[in-house]
Each structure stands twice: as C-alpha cells, then as structure tokens.
C-alpha cells in the first residue's frame, strides 16, 4: 500500500458548513468536545491557519483568499470553499 492509501485509513471525513463560505465555517459533526487543535491547508498543502479552539466554535476565515481548503482536526479532514464577499 502506498502512503496515500494508509492516510485514507487513518482519517475520516468531517462535515463543514456552510459551503461555500465567505466569513466563518463550523466543524458540524466533530465527535470531541472541548479544546482541539485544528489546521487549514490551501490547495498546495501549505498550512495557512492553525488554532486551538473548542470543537463547534465558528472559525473565522475572512483572512483567507478565495479557493478550496482542507481542514484537519483530531484525525478527521473536511473540505470547504472560500468565496469572495
């Protein structure tokens, strides 16, 4: 198995809303309560945002450029689209 298939087995998907978004997103189905470490990566895989926060809190994405992003948290990943306001 290659690295990609291994990663697929170690992660599960996470719902993000709203999609597309202009200013804030939320991790909808995150299973953990309390503080979590989350990171957002751009389409090239660069970390553009990282924060420790409570699961379910709104995430301010106004500083991000329009585009497709991946959010990772506690072994789960989700994708969202940031659109211009």
């Amino acid at each position: 198995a290659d690295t990609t298939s291994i990663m697929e087995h170690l992660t599960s998907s996470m719902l993000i809303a709203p999609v597309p978004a202009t200013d804030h997103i939320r991790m909808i189905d995150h299973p953990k309560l309390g503080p979590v470490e989350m990171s957002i990566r751009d389409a090239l895989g660069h970390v553009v945002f990282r924060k420790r926060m409570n699961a379910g809190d709104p995430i301010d994405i106004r500083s991000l450029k329009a585009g497709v992003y991946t959010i990772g948290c506690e072994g789960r990943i989700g994708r969202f689209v940031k659109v211009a306001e």
Side-chain angles (χ1 to χ4, degrees):
D2 63 11
T3 305
T4 304
S5 63
I6 292 169
M7 289 301 294
E8 288 170 1
H9 293 295
L10 296 176
T11 60
S12 59
S13 63
M14 173 176 42
L15 292 175
I16 306 298
V19 176
T22 56
D23 55 2
H24 290 83
I25 57 170
R26 288 184 191 268
M27 297 180 280
I28 297 299
D29 61 344
H30 198 278
K32 182 178 177 182
L33 297 177
V36 294
E37 184 77 28
M38 104 35 220
S39 63
I40 296 176
R41 294 180 181 270
D42 64 15
L44 298 176
H46 300 119
V47 174
V48 294
F49 187 84
R50 185 184 309 263
K51 185 175 182 181
R52 186 158 182 82
M53 56 177 284
N54 288 319
D57 283 354
I59 301 165
D60 186 341
I61 60 166
R62 290 177 289 186
S63 65
L64 301 179
K65 295 179 182 176
V68 178
Y69 293 88
T70 302
I71 184 169
C73 183
E74 301 288 323
R76 303 185 78 195
I77 57 169
R79 289 184 175 75
F80 68 93
V81 177
K82 161 75 184 290
V83 293
E85 295 185 43

